[in-house]
């Protein structure tokens, strides 16, 4: 009998060790990790430089209050602003908290800086933004909301890539539009470049803030440090978490200069906002990504992975489509893929789902061609065996 809440459906595997692209279970079985803790361990497991930074920070100091300064926090924030369109950073401890901060700063900017009464946030169906009350309300999926009524007011959902629906949803109370450029949990669906450019123009015209949830697409995952770089636009606010600390739990809300006065002292905070250890993990993660050119490598490896998958799965009628950007890749199948995931585990390959019919591949950004070949081989074998079993 477990003492944990049954919030997760867990596979019957217990991991005890990881290094690079490999994980080992308590039976000593080795796995090739193509899910990276859901896009978290972007530099692979226990990356040397991040480990060393954490160990040396553990010897110095673990926590000081945000009533004082710590050099790591300024340095981590500057690394982020130097390498993005943002001018300021608020650190937190998870993706949901980062989105919560984004929603709060958008409303507060409209209400306190501009002095209007705007509060509505437009988000998209099939989106995923987190599990706090505000972020599950922002999420465009009913299953995360069941049993949690009443939900906070002021969230409107429209279909992705539907400009007419966005325009119809705008009112004089619209504060912000919030989206993932690639809906990851929702099935690996990309926002169209034209739609995103029009969204940016619409926001500028109407005084609406554009919030990008880059929690899964950020930190090199799509082949650029941030996915908005593919689209030729810049958000007013964006959020990061998953890949930013190599597995150390951290999140960040970043925004442009006009937003800065919206978060005056006392307006927002968190005890653990940017602790010395968390920010040591962030600094070492970003520095390693820049030194290793991780985004470029993800772009090249992503193209390789997608083309090899398309070649290997081309003849399988149970595969509908291989799609993605960089190393955020979906394989859409004709039916549910839950059993496929289990069969892949037995062969030592870890992947996850994105909705019922889509397998999602999220290898680390430094994955090698040999590892890609190994994963593609296992995927092709398992998917063709399942096809054979289904047609017999
Ligand atoms: C994972 C995720 C979140 C939530 O992050 P948590 O750290 O689990 O709170 C929000 N948005 C997107 C796009 C995500 O992938």
């Amino acid at each position: 009998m477990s003492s944990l809440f049954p919030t997760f459906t867990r596979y019957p595997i217990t991991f005890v060790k990881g290094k690079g692209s490999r994980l080992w279970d308590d039976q000593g079985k080795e796995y090739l990790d193509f899910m990276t803790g859901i896009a978290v361990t972007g530099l692979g497991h226990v990356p040397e430089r991040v480990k060393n930074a954490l160990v040396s920070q553990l010897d110095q100091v673990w926590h000081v209050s945000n009533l004082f300064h710590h050099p790591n926090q300024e340095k981590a924030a500057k690394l982020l602003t130097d390498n993005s369109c943002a001018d300021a950073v608020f650190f937190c401890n998870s993706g949901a908290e980062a989105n919560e901060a984004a929603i709060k700063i958008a409303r507060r900017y409209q209400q306190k800086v501009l002095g209007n009464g705007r509060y509505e946030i437009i988000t998209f169906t099939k989106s995923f933004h987190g599990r706090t009350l505000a972020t599950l309300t922002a999420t465009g999926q009913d299953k995360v909301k069941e049993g949690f009524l009443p939900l906070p007011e002021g969230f409107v959902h429209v279909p992705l890539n539907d400009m007419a629906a966005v325009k119809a949803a705008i009112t004089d109370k619209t504060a912000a539009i919030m989206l993932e450029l690639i809906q990851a949990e929702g099935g690996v669906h990309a926002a169209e470049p034209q739609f995103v450019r029009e969204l940016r123009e619409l926001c500028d015209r109407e005084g609406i803030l554009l919030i990008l949830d880059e929690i899964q697409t950020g930190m090199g995952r799509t082949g650029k440090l941030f996915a908005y770089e593919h689209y030729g636009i810049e958000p007013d606010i964006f959020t990061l978490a998953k890949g930013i600390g190599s597995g150390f739990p951290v999140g960040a809300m970043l925004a442009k200069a006009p937003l800065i006065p919206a978060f005056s002292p006392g307006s927002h905070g968190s005890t653990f906002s940017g602790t010395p250890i968390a920010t040591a993990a962030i600094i070492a993660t970003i520095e390693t990504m820049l030194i290793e050119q991780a985004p470029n490598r993800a772009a090249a490896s992503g193209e390789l992975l997608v083309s090899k998958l398309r070649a290997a799965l081309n003849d399988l009628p149970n595969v509908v489509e291989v799609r993605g950007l960089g190393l955020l890749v979906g394989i859409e199948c004709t039916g549910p893929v839950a059993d496929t995931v289990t069969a892949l585990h037995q062969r030592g390959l870890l992947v996850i789902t994105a909705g019922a019919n889509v397998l999602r591949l999220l290898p680390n950004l430094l994955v090698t061609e040999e590892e890609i070949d190994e994963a593609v081989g296992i995927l092709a074998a398992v998917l063709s065996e399942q096809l054979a079993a289904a047609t017999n």
Side-chain angles (χ1 to χ4, degrees):
M1 180 70 183
S2 171
S3 302
L4 296 167
F5 272 110
T7 45
F8 304 101
T9 315
R10 295 177 198 267
Y11 297 107
I13 302 173
T14 302
F15 288 117
V16 291
K17 193 174 162 55
K19 187 70 196 169
S21 300
R22 306 285 164 175
L23 276 169
W24 288 270
D25 71 12
D26 58 353
Q27 311 294 307
K29 180 174 169 179
E30 183 178 298
Y31 294 81
L32 177 58
D33 183 4
F34 265 47
M35 62 173 281
T36 53
I38 317 189
V40 170
T41 52
L43 295 172
H45 293 281
V46 196
E48 207 56 29
R49 198 188 158 91
V50 183
K51 183 187 89 176
N52 292 340
L54 283 171
V55 168
S56 95
Q57 188 58 50
L58 280 173
D59 271 334
Q60 298 302 317
V61 66
W62 296 11
H63 179 85
V64 293
S65 164
N66 277 303
L67 298 173
F68 302 91
H69 297 273
H70 188 279
N72 281 3
Q73 208 177 93
E74 285 290 348
K75 188 174 175 189
K78 185 152 189 335
L79 267 170
L80 284 165
T81 55
D82 282 353
N83 288 286
S84 76
C85 66
D87 298 301
V89 183
F90 177 82
F91 289 114
C92 51
N93 313 291
S94 68
E97 274 178 83
N99 283 340
E100 190 82 24
I103 292 163
K104 283 182 70 177
I105 201 171
R107 285 185 173 176
R108 200 168 154 97
Y109 173 75
Q110 298 285 3
Q111 294 170 29
K112 286 283 187 184
V113 178
L114 299 185
N116 60 45
R118 294 184 180 205
Y119 64 90
E120 278 176 2
I121 318 272
I122 297 174
T123 69
F124 294 85
T125 45
K126 294 193 183 149
S127 62
F128 182 80
H129 297 298
R131 302 279 189 174
T132 63
L133 276 171
T135 59
L136 74 81
T137 307
T139 293
Q141 304 183 42
D142 289 340
K143 65 179 181 195
V144 304
K145 309 182 189 196
E146 281 165 17
F148 296 121
L149 304 182
L151 301 176
E153 271 181 57
F155 292 87
V156 185
H157 302 91
V158 297
L160 190 65
N161 295 324
D162 186 341
M163 188 45 70
V166 174
K167 284 181 178 157
I170 289 174
T171 72
D172 60 357
K173 295 281 175 266
T174 305
I177 297 175
M178 173 164 163
L179 72 155
E180 306 156 82
L181 288 172
I182 301 177
Q183 293 185 332
E185 305 294 318
V188 191
H189 296 288
E192 287 162 11
Q194 170 82 5
F195 173 76
V196 174
R197 280 194 298 271
E198 282 177 28
L199 215 49
R200 178 68 273 179
E201 287 163 19
L202 182 72
C203 285
D204 289 339
R205 218 165 40 237
E206 304 281 339
I208 295 168
L209 295 164
L210 184 64
I211 305 174
L212 294 181
D213 178 343
E214 292 246 23
I215 289 165
Q216 193 150 160
T217 55
M219 303 316 293
R221 174 58 50 191
T222 66
K224 302 268 189 198
L225 196 52
F226 307 109
Y228 69 77
E229 297 171 47
H230 290 286
Y231 284 82
I233 58 109
E234 291 181 350
D236 301 296
I237 301 166
F238 69 102
T239 52
L240 299 171
K242 296 201 161 85
I244 193 182
S246 294
F248 198 90
V250 277
M253 186 279 293
L254 303 92
K256 293 208 172 206
L259 278 292
I260 293 173
F263 266 3
S264 49
S267 58
H268 192 58
S270 165
T271 301
F272 293 126
S273 170
T275 72
I277 297 176
T279 41
I282 295 174
I283 292 165
T285 298
I286 298 173
E287 284 179 349
T288 309
M289 285 192 172
L290 296 175
I291 291 166
E292 301 281 343
Q293 303 203 329
N296 286 344
R297 286 176 65 168
S301 299
E303 278 182 30
L304 207 60
L305 175 60
V306 166
S307 66
K308 284 178 190 259
L309 282 171
R310 285 185 180 147
L313 308 179
N314 191 34
D315 294 334
L316 295 179
N318 51 340
V319 174
V320 178
E321 187 185 38
V322 177
R323 60 175 176 257
L325 190 60
L327 287 171
L328 171 46
V329 173
I331 304 173
E332 184 169 340
C333 296
T334 47
V337 293
D339 292 347
T340 317
V341 170
T342 308
L344 292 166
H345 287 172
Q346 279 155 7
R347 302 284 188 99
L349 179 66
L350 298 169
V351 308
I352 40 165
T353 59
N357 295 0
V358 179
L359 294 169
R360 185 170 22 148
L361 310 187
L362 301 159
N364 72 65
L365 310 185
L366 309 179
V367 68
T368 65
E369 181 161 6
E370 292 71 38
E371 290 161 346
I372 289 175
D373 287 336
E374 188 183 338
V376 172
I378 297 170
L379 279 158
V382 166
L383 284 164
S384 52
E385 276 165 28
Q386 292 201 320
L387 181 66
T391 47
N392 274 342

